[in-house]
CSV table of all heavy atoms in Angstrom, one decimal:
chain,number,residue,atom,x,y,z
A,37,ASP,N,-5.5,8.2,-19.4
A,37,ASP,CA,-5.7,9.6,-18.8
A,37,ASP,C,-4.3,10.0,-18.3
A,37,ASP,O,-3.9,9.5,-17.3
A,37,ASP,CB,-6.7,9.3,-17.7
A,37,ASP,CG,-6.8,10.6,-16.7
A,37,ASP,OD1,-6.4,11.7,-17.1
A,37,ASP,OD2,-7.1,10.4,-15.5
A,39,GLU,N,-3.1,13.3,-18.0
A,39,GLU,CA,-2.9,14.7,-17.7
A,39,GLU,C,-2.1,15.0,-16.4
A,39,GLU,O,-2.1,14.2,-15.5
A,39,GLU,CB,-4.4,15.2,-17.4
A,39,GLU,CG,-5.0,16.2,-18.2
A,39,GLU,CD,-6.4,16.5,-17.8
A,39,GLU,OE1,-7.2,15.6,-17.6
A,39,GLU,OE2,-6.6,17.7,-17.5
A,41,THR,N,-2.8,17.2,-13.5
A,41,THR,CA,-3.8,17.8,-13.0
A,41,THR,C,-3.7,19.1,-12.0
A,41,THR,O,-4.6,19.8,-11.8
A,41,THR,CB,-4.9,16.9,-12.3
A,41,THR,OG1,-4.1,16.2,-11.4
A,41,THR,CG2,-5.4,15.9,-13.4
A,122,GLN,N,-7.3,-8.2,8.6
A,122,GLN,CA,-8.7,-8.5,9.3
A,122,GLN,C,-8.7,-9.6,10.2
A,122,GLN,O,-9.5,-9.3,11.3
A,122,GLN,CB,-9.6,-8.9,8.0
A,122,GLN,CG,-9.5,-7.9,6.8
A,122,GLN,CD,-9.6,-6.5,7.2
A,122,GLN,OE1,-10.4,-6.1,8.1
A,122,GLN,NE2,-8.9,-5.6,6.4
A,124,PHE,N,-5.5,-10.9,11.8
A,124,PHE,CA,-4.6,-10.8,12.8
A,124,PHE,C,-4.4,-9.4,13.3
A,124,PHE,O,-3.6,-9.3,14.3
A,124,PHE,CB,-3.2,-11.3,12.3
A,124,PHE,CG,-3.3,-12.7,11.7
A,124,PHE,CD1,-2.7,-13.1,10.5
A,124,PHE,CD2,-3.9,-13.7,12.5
A,124,PHE,CE1,-2.8,-14.5,10.2
A,124,PHE,CE2,-3.9,-15.0,12.1
A,124,PHE,CZ,-3.3,-15.4,10.9
A,125,GLY,N,-5.0,-8.4,12.7
A,125,GLY,CA,-4.9,-7.1,13.1
A,125,GLY,C,-3.4,-6.5,12.9
A,125,GLY,O,-2.8,-7.1,12.2
A,212,PHE,N,5.3,3.7,7.2
A,212,PHE,CA,4.4,4.4,8.0
A,212,PHE,C,4.7,5.9,8.2
A,212,PHE,O,3.8,6.7,8.1
A,212,PHE,CB,4.3,3.6,9.4
A,212,PHE,CG,3.2,4.1,10.4
A,212,PHE,CD1,1.9,3.4,10.5
A,212,PHE,CD2,3.3,5.3,11.1
A,212,PHE,CE1,0.9,3.9,11.2
A,212,PHE,CE2,2.2,5.6,11.9
A,212,PHE,CZ,1.0,4.9,11.9
A,215,GLU,N,4.9,7.9,4.8
A,215,GLU,CA,3.5,8.3,4.5
A,215,GLU,C,3.0,9.6,5.2
A,215,GLU,O,2.6,10.5,4.6
A,215,GLU,CB,2.5,7.2,4.6
A,215,GLU,CG,1.3,7.5,3.6
A,215,GLU,CD,0.0,7.5,4.3
A,215,GLU,OE1,-0.1,7.4,5.6
A,215,GLU,OE2,-1.0,7.7,3.5
A,216,THR,N,3.3,9.5,6.5
A,216,THR,CA,2.9,10.6,7.3
A,216,THR,C,3.5,12.0,6.8
A,216,THR,O,3.0,13.0,6.7
A,216,THR,CB,3.2,10.4,8.9
A,216,THR,OG1,2.5,9.1,9.1
A,216,THR,CG2,2.6,11.5,9.7
A,220,GLN,N,1.9,15.4,5.2
A,220,GLN,CA,2.0,16.7,5.9
A,220,GLN,C,3.1,17.6,5.2
A,220,GLN,O,3.3,18.7,5.7
A,220,GLN,CB,2.4,16.5,7.4
A,220,GLN,CG,1.2,15.7,8.0
A,220,GLN,CD,1.5,15.4,9.3
A,220,GLN,OE1,0.8,14.5,10.0
A,220,GLN,NE2,2.4,16.1,10.0
A,270,ASN,N,-11.2,-14.1,15.6
A,270,ASN,CA,-11.2,-13.2,14.3
A,270,ASN,C,-10.9,-13.9,13.1
A,270,ASN,O,-11.4,-13.5,12.1
A,270,ASN,CB,-10.3,-12.1,14.7
A,270,ASN,CG,-10.6,-11.3,15.9
A,270,ASN,OD1,-12.0,-11.0,16.2
A,270,ASN,ND2,-9.8,-10.6,16.6
A,273,ARG,N,-13.7,-16.0,11.9
A,273,ARG,CA,-14.9,-15.3,11.4
A,273,ARG,C,-14.6,-14.8,10.1
A,273,ARG,O,-15.5,-14.8,9.1
A,273,ARG,CB,-15.0,-14.1,12.4
A,273,ARG,CG,-16.3,-13.3,12.1
A,273,ARG,CD,-16.1,-11.9,12.7
A,273,ARG,NE,-15.0,-11.2,12.2
A,273,ARG,CZ,-14.2,-10.3,12.8
A,273,ARG,NH1,-14.5,-10.1,14.1
A,273,ARG,NH2,-13.1,-9.8,12.4
A,278,ASP,N,-16.9,-13.5,6.8
A,278,ASP,CA,-16.6,-12.1,6.0
A,278,ASP,C,-16.5,-12.4,4.7
A,278,ASP,O,-17.0,-11.6,3.9
A,278,ASP,CB,-15.5,-11.5,6.7
A,278,ASP,CG,-15.6,-11.1,8.0
A,278,ASP,OD1,-16.7,-11.2,8.6
A,278,ASP,OD2,-14.8,-10.5,8.8
A,373,GLN,N,1.6,13.0,-5.7
A,373,GLN,CA,1.4,14.2,-4.9
A,373,GLN,C,1.7,15.5,-5.8
A,373,GLN,O,0.9,16.5,-5.6
A,373,GLN,CB,2.2,14.2,-3.7
A,373,GLN,CG,2.2,13.0,-2.8
A,373,GLN,CD,0.9,13.0,-2.1
A,373,GLN,OE1,0.5,13.9,-1.6
A,373,GLN,NE2,0.4,11.8,-2.0
A,377,PRO,N,-3.7,12.9,-9.7
A,377,PRO,CA,-4.0,11.4,-9.7
A,377,PRO,C,-4.4,11.0,-11.3
A,377,PRO,O,-5.4,10.7,-11.4
A,377,PRO,CB,-5.1,11.2,-8.8
A,377,PRO,CG,-5.8,12.5,-8.9
A,377,PRO,CD,-4.8,13.5,-9.1
A,458,PHE,N,-7.7,0.1,-7.0
A,458,PHE,CA,-8.6,1.1,-6.5
A,458,PHE,C,-9.9,0.6,-6.0
A,458,PHE,O,-10.4,0.9,-4.9
A,458,PHE,CB,-8.9,2.1,-7.6
A,458,PHE,CG,-10.0,3.2,-7.3
A,458,PHE,CD1,-9.6,4.5,-6.6
A,458,PHE,CD2,-11.3,3.0,-7.7
A,458,PHE,CE1,-10.5,5.2,-6.1
A,458,PHE,CE2,-12.2,4.0,-7.3
A,458,PHE,CZ,-11.9,5.1,-6.6
A,461,ASP,N,-9.2,-1.6,-2.8
A,461,ASP,CA,-9.0,-0.6,-1.7
A,461,ASP,C,-10.4,-0.2,-1.3
A,461,ASP,O,-10.8,0.0,0.0
A,461,ASP,CB,-8.2,0.6,-2.0
A,461,ASP,CG,-8.0,1.5,-0.9
A,461,ASP,OD1,-7.6,1.0,0.2
A,461,ASP,OD2,-8.4,2.6,-1.1
A,462,SER,N,-11.3,0.3,-2.1
A,462,SER,CA,-12.6,0.7,-1.9
A,462,SER,C,-13.5,-0.3,-1.2
A,462,SER,O,-14.1,0.0,-0.1
A,462,SER,CB,-13.4,1.1,-3.2
A,462,SER,OG,-12.7,2.2,-3.8
A,464,PHE,N,-12.3,-2.8,0.7
A,464,PHE,CA,-11.8,-2.9,2.0
A,464,PHE,C,-12.4,-1.6,2.9
A,464,PHE,O,-12.6,-1.8,4.1
A,464,PHE,CB,-10.2,-2.9,2.2
A,464,PHE,CG,-9.7,-4.4,2.0
A,464,PHE,CD1,-9.0,-4.7,0.8
A,464,PHE,CD2,-9.8,-5.2,2.9
A,464,PHE,CE1,-8.5,-6.0,0.6
A,464,PHE,CE2,-9.3,-6.5,2.7
A,464,PHE,CZ,-8.6,-6.9,1.6
A,465,GLU,N,-12.4,-0.6,2.2
A,465,GLU,CA,-12.7,0.6,3.1
A,465,GLU,C,-14.3,0.5,3.4
A,465,GLU,O,-14.7,1.0,4.4
A,465,GLU,CB,-12.6,2.0,2.3
A,465,GLU,CG,-11.3,2.5,2.4
A,465,GLU,CD,-10.8,2.9,3.9
A,465,GLU,OE1,-11.7,3.5,4.7
A,465,GLU,OE2,-9.6,2.6,4.3
A,468,ARG,N,-16.3,-4.6,2.8
A,468,ARG,CA,-16.9,-5.6,2.1
A,468,ARG,C,-15.8,-6.6,1.6
A,468,ARG,O,-15.3,-6.5,0.6
A,468,ARG,CB,-17.6,-4.9,0.8
A,468,ARG,CG,-18.9,-4.3,1.3
A,468,ARG,CD,-19.4,-3.5,0.0
A,468,ARG,NE,-20.8,-2.8,0.5
A,468,ARG,CZ,-21.2,-1.8,-0.2
A,468,ARG,NH1,-20.6,-1.2,-1.2
A,468,ARG,NH2,-22.5,-1.3,0.3
B,72,ASP,N,-4.2,15.6,9.8
B,72,ASP,CA,-2.8,15.5,10.0
B,72,ASP,C,-2.4,14.6,11.1
B,72,ASP,O,-2.8,14.7,12.2
B,72,ASP,CB,-2.1,16.8,10.1
B,72,ASP,CG,-1.8,17.5,8.9
B,72,ASP,OD1,-2.1,17.0,7.8
B,72,ASP,OD2,-1.4,18.7,8.9
B,73,ALA,N,-1.6,13.5,10.9
B,73,ALA,CA,-1.3,12.5,11.8
B,73,ALA,C,-0.6,13.0,13.1
B,73,ALA,O,-0.8,12.5,14.1
B,73,ALA,CB,-0.5,11.4,11.2
B,74,SER,N,0.4,14.0,12.9
B,74,SER,CA,1.1,14.4,14.0
B,74,SER,C,0.2,15.2,15.0
B,74,SER,O,0.3,15.2,16.2
B,74,SER,CB,2.3,15.3,13.6
B,74,SER,OG,1.9,16.3,12.8
B,101,LYS,N,-4.1,3.9,9.9
B,101,LYS,CA,-3.8,4.5,8.5
B,101,LYS,C,-5.1,4.8,7.8
B,101,LYS,O,-5.1,5.5,6.9
B,101,LYS,CB,-2.8,3.7,7.7
B,101,LYS,CG,-1.4,3.9,8.1
B,101,LYS,CD,-0.9,5.3,7.6
B,101,LYS,CE,0.7,5.5,8.0
B,101,LYS,NZ,1.0,6.9,7.9
B,102,SER,N,-6.2,4.2,8.2
B,102,SER,CA,-7.5,4.3,7.5
B,102,SER,C,-8.6,4.1,8.4
B,102,SER,O,-8.5,3.7,9.5
B,102,SER,CB,-7.5,3.3,6.3
B,102,SER,OG,-7.7,1.9,6.7
B,104,SER,N,-11.3,2.3,7.8
B,104,SER,CA,-11.6,0.9,7.9
B,104,SER,C,-10.7,0.2,8.9
B,104,SER,O,-11.0,-0.9,9.5
B,104,SER,CB,-11.5,0.2,6.5
B,104,SER,OG,-10.2,0.2,6.0
B,107,VAL,N,-12.1,0.6,12.2
B,107,VAL,CA,-13.2,-0.1,12.4
B,107,VAL,C,-12.8,-1.6,12.7
B,107,VAL,O,-13.3,-2.3,13.7
B,107,VAL,CB,-14.3,0.0,11.3
B,107,VAL,CG1,-15.4,-1.1,11.4
B,107,VAL,CG2,-14.8,1.3,11.1
B,108,SER,N,-11.8,-2.2,12.0
B,108,SER,CA,-11.4,-3.6,12.0
B,108,SER,C,-10.8,-3.7,13.4
B,108,SER,O,-11.0,-4.7,14.1
B,108,SER,CB,-10.4,-3.9,11.0
B,108,SER,OG,-11.1,-4.0,9.8
B,111,ARG,N,-13.5,-4.0,15.9
B,111,ARG,CA,-14.2,-5.2,15.7
B,111,ARG,C,-13.4,-6.4,16.3
B,111,ARG,O,-14.0,-7.4,17.0
B,111,ARG,CB,-14.5,-5.5,14.2
B,111,ARG,CG,-15.3,-6.7,14.0
B,111,ARG,CD,-15.2,-6.9,12.5
B,111,ARG,NE,-16.3,-7.8,12.1
B,111,ARG,CZ,-16.3,-8.4,10.9
B,111,ARG,NH1,-15.4,-8.2,10.1
B,111,ARG,NH2,-17.3,-9.3,10.6
B,112,ASN,N,-12.1,-6.4,16.1
B,112,ASN,CA,-11.3,-7.5,16.7
B,112,ASN,C,-10.8,-7.3,18.0
B,112,ASN,O,-10.0,-8.1,18.4
B,112,ASN,CB,-10.1,-7.6,15.6
B,112,ASN,CG,-10.4,-8.1,14.3
B,112,ASN,OD1,-11.4,-8.4,13.9
B,112,ASN,ND2,-9.5,-7.9,13.4
B,114,GLN,N,-9.0,-5.3,19.3
B,114,GLN,CA,-7.6,-4.7,19.5
B,114,GLN,C,-7.6,-3.3,20.1
B,114,GLN,O,-6.6,-2.9,20.6
B,114,GLN,CB,-6.9,-4.8,18.2
B,114,GLN,CG,-6.3,-6.2,18.0
B,114,GLN,CD,-6.3,-6.5,16.5
B,114,GLN,OE1,-6.8,-5.8,15.6
B,114,GLN,NE2,-5.7,-7.6,16.1
B,127,ARG,N,-21.0,1.5,11.4
B,127,ARG,CA,-20.3,0.4,10.8
B,127,ARG,C,-19.9,-0.4,11.9
B,127,ARG,O,-20.2,-1.7,12.0
B,127,ARG,CB,-19.2,0.7,9.9
B,127,ARG,CG,-19.6,1.0,8.5
B,127,ARG,CD,-18.5,0.9,7.4
B,127,ARG,NE,-18.9,1.0,6.2
B,127,ARG,CZ,-18.4,2.0,5.2
B,127,ARG,NH1,-17.5,2.7,5.6
B,127,ARG,NH2,-18.9,1.9,4.0
B,179,LYS,N,-12.5,7.6,1.8
B,179,LYS,CA,-13.7,6.9,1.2
B,179,LYS,C,-14.7,6.6,2.3
B,179,LYS,O,-15.8,6.3,2.1
B,179,LYS,CB,-13.1,5.5,0.6
B,179,LYS,CG,-12.4,5.7,-0.8
B,179,LYS,CD,-11.8,4.3,-1.2
B,179,LYS,CE,-11.0,4.6,-2.6
B,179,LYS,NZ,-10.1,3.5,-2.8
B,206,ARG,N,-13.7,14.3,-13.0
B,206,ARG,CA,-12.7,13.6,-12.4
B,206,ARG,C,-13.2,13.6,-11.0
B,206,ARG,O,-13.3,14.6,-10.3
B,206,ARG,CB,-11.3,14.1,-12.5
B,206,ARG,CG,-10.2,13.4,-11.9
B,206,ARG,CD,-8.9,14.2,-12.0
B,206,ARG,NE,-8.4,14.4,-13.3
B,206,ARG,CZ,-7.7,13.4,-13.9
B,206,ARG,NH1,-7.3,12.3,-13.3
B,206,ARG,NH2,-7.1,13.6,-15.2
B,215,ARG,N,-5.7,17.2,3.7
B,215,ARG,CA,-5.4,16.9,2.2
B,215,ARG,C,-6.2,17.6,1.2
B,215,ARG,O,-6.0,18.1,0.3
B,215,ARG,CB,-5.1,15.5,1.9
B,215,ARG,CG,-4.0,14.8,2.4
B,215,ARG,CD,-2.7,15.3,1.8
B,215,ARG,NE,-2.6,15.2,0.4
B,215,ARG,CZ,-1.7,15.7,-0.4
B,215,ARG,NH1,-0.8,16.4,0.2
B,215,ARG,NH2,-1.6,15.6,-1.7
B,223,GLY,N,-5.2,23.7,-6.6
B,223,GLY,CA,-5.9,23.6,-7.8
B,223,GLY,C,-5.8,22.2,-8.4
B,223,GLY,O,-6.2,22.0,-9.5
B,224,ALA,N,-5.2,21.2,-7.7
B,224,ALA,CA,-5.2,19.8,-8.2
B,224,ALA,C,-6.7,19.4,-8.5
B,224,ALA,O,-7.0,18.7,-9.4
B,224,ALA,CB,-4.6,18.9,-7.2
B,225,TYR,N,-7.8,19.8,-7.7
B,225,TYR,CA,-9.1,19.7,-7.9
B,225,TYR,C,-9.6,20.9,-7.8
B,225,TYR,O,-9.3,21.8,-7.0
B,225,TYR,CB,-9.7,18.7,-6.9
B,225,TYR,CG,-9.2,17.2,-7.1
B,225,TYR,CD1,-8.2,16.7,-6.4
B,225,TYR,CD2,-9.9,16.4,-7.9
B,225,TYR,CE1,-7.8,15.5,-6.6
B,225,TYR,CE2,-9.6,15.1,-8.2
B,225,TYR,CZ,-8.5,14.6,-7.4
B,225,TYR,OH,-8.1,13.3,-7.7
B,321,GLY,N,-26.1,3.4,-1.0
B,321,GLY,CA,-25.6,2.1,-1.2
B,321,GLY,C,-24.2,1.8,-0.7
B,321,GLY,O,-23.5,1.0,-1.1
B,322,ILE,N,-23.8,2.7,0.4
B,322,ILE,CA,-22.5,2.5,0.9
B,322,ILE,C,-22.6,1.4,2.0
B,322,ILE,O,-21.5,0.9,2.4
B,322,ILE,CB,-21.8,3.9,1.3
B,322,ILE,CG1,-20.3,3.9,1.3
B,322,ILE,CG2,-22.5,4.3,2.5
B,322,ILE,CD1,-19.9,5.3,1.5
B,324,ASP,N,-24.9,-2.0,3.4
B,324,ASP,CA,-25.8,-3.1,2.9
B,324,ASP,C,-26.9,-3.2,4.0
B,324,ASP,O,-26.8,-3.4,5.1
B,324,ASP,CB,-25.0,-4.4,2.8
B,324,ASP,CG,-23.8,-4.2,1.7
B,324,ASP,OD1,-24.2,-3.7,0.7
B,324,ASP,OD2,-22.7,-4.7,2.0
Side-chain angles (χ1 to χ4, degrees):
Chain A
D37 163 25
E39 238 182 308
T41 52
Q122 309 313 325
F124 301 137
F212 188 97
E215 205 241 356
T216 307
Q220 298 179 195
N270 292 329
R273 188 202 57 217
D278 292 359
Q373 304 290 319
F458 174 82
D461 181 55
S462 302
F464 273 111
E465 276 301 314
R468 286 174 176 153
Chain B
D72 279 356
S74 50
K101 280 283 179 203
S102 69
S104 63
V107 175
S108 289
R111 183 190 194 192
N112 292 349
Q114 280 146 352
R127 276 189 172 134
K179 287 171 182 166
R206 183 190 290 278
R215 285 291 304 165
Y225 287 94
I322 205 174
D324 295 313

